[in-house]
Amino acid sequence: MTVTVVYDNSEATELCAAQHLYLKPIAKLMINVLLPESSEPTRPFSNWEVLDQLKSLICPDQFTTVRLSKSTKDFIRFEGEAETRSLVQILKAKLHGKIIKLNGLKTDLKVVATDAQGEWERFPREKEASVSDGAEEQDQDKSPDSIYFAGLPCKWFAPKGSSGEKPCEEILRVVFESFGKIKNVDIPMLDPYREVMTGGNFGGFSFGLQTFEAFVQYQESTDFAKAMESLRGMKLMLKGDDGKALACNIKVMFDTTKHFSEGAIRRRNQERLKLQELEEERKKVKRDEEEAARKRKEEERRAQEKRKKARVRRRGPKERDRRRHRKPKARAPADSARERDSSEEWEERKYLLAQRRVEALRLLRVLLRKIAVRLFLRPSALSLIPDSAVEDINEVRLAAAGEGDFHSQKEWKTTFS
């Protein structure tokens, strides 16, 4: 759907003041350029050359948009849109019945301008035909008619201040309840299962604006008819706080699918339940897969820890041997302090060892004295002592003599020589 900037909103009528929404008349003009019926060969010309001639006829006025609608050997049809219906009438007066002359063509081209009629104006007749063909089916439903909308901008029907652009059913109800009491409202886009159920897409984009489809059902058929009549040949217009306005073409149709019938609602609910069950099954399968993956990772982690401990046990003796042969590292200040403490302890230990050695020597001297006295009293026993031992005994004797056991070393030597 086309979104355009509105420069003249004088013909707009209020739809919902709370949402700043208005209805603006569609001002279109159908322009048919009749081609000459001549068997003589003529030079070729383009449709855009004809369009330039049409634009020159309406100067200084101009169309908001103009497009080529149809081109045949008999006529070329353009569809032009203006800001207002009053301007359309002015443009119609300037174009209707005029003659276009193209260089190289002997025959002139005649212009026929008429008011454009929306395609949806034929739907009431189709509705009447469908009712006459299936009167029994309509009598069984006994539900008010509903309207199908397409091309509604999501942002225009979203709650104010919301970060997203999803439409709100309550806002849709408030906007179109200006024509009468609404019984049901449905926006298929808001149902996450609807696209899967129908295999269709209930949204679109129009010049950067996301659009949506909607179904509105009125309680009274008179309100339904009033809504259809009011929306005929209208655009939806949004007026901003700054006064600027945008207009959007929307599609308005009779709902021929019986969207709000009990059978259709029951089918949608059943399909939705099936999809929900499938989704729950998928979630359960996913949870089971995640749990299995978690257990598998846990088992792998335990096995890895077990292998690591086994490696540590195997490498233990090798590490100890490697530490023994490893060169000592540079000692830290704390190690030097410990060395000082150990050196002091070693000095004390050396002192104790020296004392014990002295005491041992004293005890040995005492024993040797007694031995010497015995030998002194029995000289014959000296022959029983080996020569190597005699020298040691002599040294001990000399040391003992120094302590005064004998009067002189000479006396000791003469005694034991």
Side-chain angles (χ1 to χ4, degrees):
M1 298 298 173
T2 306
V3 178
T4 57
V5 178
V6 178
Y7 298 98
D8 186 353
N9 56 14
S10 57
E11 295 181 354
T13 58
E14 185 178 285
L15 177 62
C16 180
Q19 294 299 122
H20 306 286
L21 292 176
Y22 297 81
L23 293 177
K24 182 182 179 298
I26 297 175
K28 285 186 177 180
L29 189 66
M30 198 71 67
I31 307 166
N32 293 312
V33 179
L34 305 180
L35 301 179
E37 296 179 1
S38 176
S39 58
E40 296 181 3
T42 58
R43 76 166 182 86
F45 59 91
S46 67
N47 297 329
W48 308 117
E49 188 177 354
V50 177
L51 181 58
D52 290 337
Q53 292 293 325
L54 293 175
K55 289 181 179 179
S56 64
L57 290 176
I58 63 172
C59 282
D61 298 319
Q62 59 183 359
F63 291 107
T64 304
T65 59
V66 61
R67 68 181 183 88
L68 178 66
S69 177
K70 191 174 182 180
S71 178
T72 66
K73 64 178 183 179
D74 298 325
F75 64 88
I76 303 172
R77 180 174 296 165
F78 295 95
E79 188 179 278
E81 185 173 352
E83 279 288 335
T84 61
R85 286 180 174 175
S86 58
L87 181 57
V88 166
Q89 298 303 318
I90 295 173
L91 297 177
K92 179 181 176 183
K94 288 185 175 182
L95 292 173
H96 185 65
K98 296 298 188 292
I99 299 298
I100 294 177
K101 294 183 179 182
L102 296 178
N103 294 331
L105 291 181
K106 297 179 179 180
T107 308
D108 299 334
L109 306 181
K110 186 178 180 180
V111 179
V112 177
T114 57
D115 295 330
Q117 293 183 351
E119 294 181 355
W120 67 283
E121 288 188 358
R122 67 174 180 267
F123 290 126
R125 293 192 292 272
E126 291 184 357
K127 179 67 178 179
E128 292 170 2
S130 64
V131 170
S132 61
D133 293 337
E136 293 180 359
E137 193 173 355
Q138 291 288 339
D139 292 339
Q140 290 176 1
D141 291 339
K142 294 182 180 180
S143 60
D145 290 327
S146 58
I147 304 175
Y148 166 74
F149 293 94
L152 297 172
C154 295
K155 194 172 184 179
W156 296 5
F157 291 86
K160 292 183 179 179
S162 63
S163 57
E165 292 189 0
K166 284 195 173 182
C168 175
E169 287 187 353
E170 187 59 31
I171 293 177
L172 183 70
R173 181 185 293 271
V174 170
V175 170
F176 291 104
E177 211 161 34
S178 58
F179 303 116
K181 196 68 176 176
I182 291 177
K183 183 178 180 181
N184 289 311
V185 169
D186 183 33
I187 301 176
M189 176 189 286
L190 301 180
D191 188 351
Y193 303 100
R194 195 72 61 87
E195 289 188 4
V196 181
M197 290 159 54
T198 60
N201 186 8
F202 298 102
F205 285 90
S206 175
F207 292 86
L209 284 177
Q210 187 178 8
T211 60
F212 68 98
E213 300 177 3
F215 294 87
V216 176
Q217 185 182 36
Y218 288 91
Q219 290 186 358
E220 302 294 336
S221 58
T222 55
D223 296 334
F224 163 79
K226 179 182 177 182
M228 290 298 296
E229 186 65 28
S230 300
L231 294 170
R232 177 181 297 177
M234 291 291 182
K235 282 185 175 183
L236 187 64
M237 188 183 82
L238 175 70
K239 194 173 183 181
D241 297 332
D242 55 358
K244 295 180 180 179
L246 293 175
C248 176
N249 289 318
I250 61 174
K251 189 176 183 179
V252 182
M253 295 177 59
F254 290 95
D255 175 30
T256 58
T257 62
K258 301 178 184 177
H259 186 78
F260 293 107
S261 64
E262 293 181 1
I265 294 174
R266 184 169 56 253
R267 284 193 300 272
R268 287 197 295 271
N269 291 336
Q270 290 174 353
E271 291 177 1
R272 187 180 295 106
L273 287 175
K274 290 180 181 178
L275 291 173
Q276 288 174 351
E277 291 175 358
L278 290 174
E279 186 176 6
E280 287 298 325
E281 290 180 2
R282 286 195 295 268
K283 288 181 179 179
K284 184 180 179 181
V285 171
K286 187 177 180 180
R287 285 195 300 267
D288 294 342
E289 291 177 353
E290 290 176 353
E291 183 66 20
R294 187 188 64 80
K295 289 181 179 179
R296 190 163 54 252
K297 287 182 180 179
E298 185 66 19
E299 291 175 358
E300 291 177 358
R301 185 184 63 80
R302 290 178 181 175
Q304 188 176 2
E305 289 181 356
K306 190 175 180 180
R307 290 194 297 270
K308 186 177 180 181
K309 289 179 181 179
R311 285 197 302 270
V312 170
R313 284 196 300 269
R314 289 195 301 268
R315 288 161 53 186
K318 295 180 180 179
E319 282 292 329
R320 286 195 294 271
D321 295 341
R322 194 179 294 113
R323 291 196 196 100
R324 290 195 193 101
H325 295 89
R326 190 178 298 165
K327 293 182 179 180
K329 297 181 180 179
R331 296 180 179 179
D335 296 338
S336 61
R338 283 196 295 270
E339 280 185 359
R340 287 195 297 270
D341 295 340
S342 62
S343 62
E344 292 176 0
E345 292 177 359
W346 175 242
E347 291 296 331
E348 291 178 0
R349 183 171 177 76
K350 285 197 325 184
Y351 178 73
L352 291 174
L353 292 173
Q355 280 185 337
R356 290 176 184 175
R357 190 179 295 110
V358 171
E359 291 175 358
L361 288 174
R362 286 177 181 175
L363 181 60
L364 184 60
R365 288 189 190 104
V366 172
L367 293 174
L368 288 175
R369 283 194 208 104
K370 290 182 180 182
I371 294 171
V373 171
R374 296 275 183 96
L375 293 174
F376 181 73
L377 295 176
R378 297 175 61 186
S380 60
L382 290 171
S383 61
L384 301 176
I385 301 173
D387 295 337
S388 60
V390 170
E391 294 178 359
D392 296 335
I393 292 173
N394 286 334
E395 291 179 0
V396 175
R397 286 173 178 174
L398 290 173
E403 292 187 4
D405 291 334
F406 295 90
H407 296 287
S408 65
Q409 292 184 6
K410 185 177 179 181
E411 185 180 358
W412 172 268
K413 290 180 180 180
T414 57
T415 302
F416 293 98
S417 60

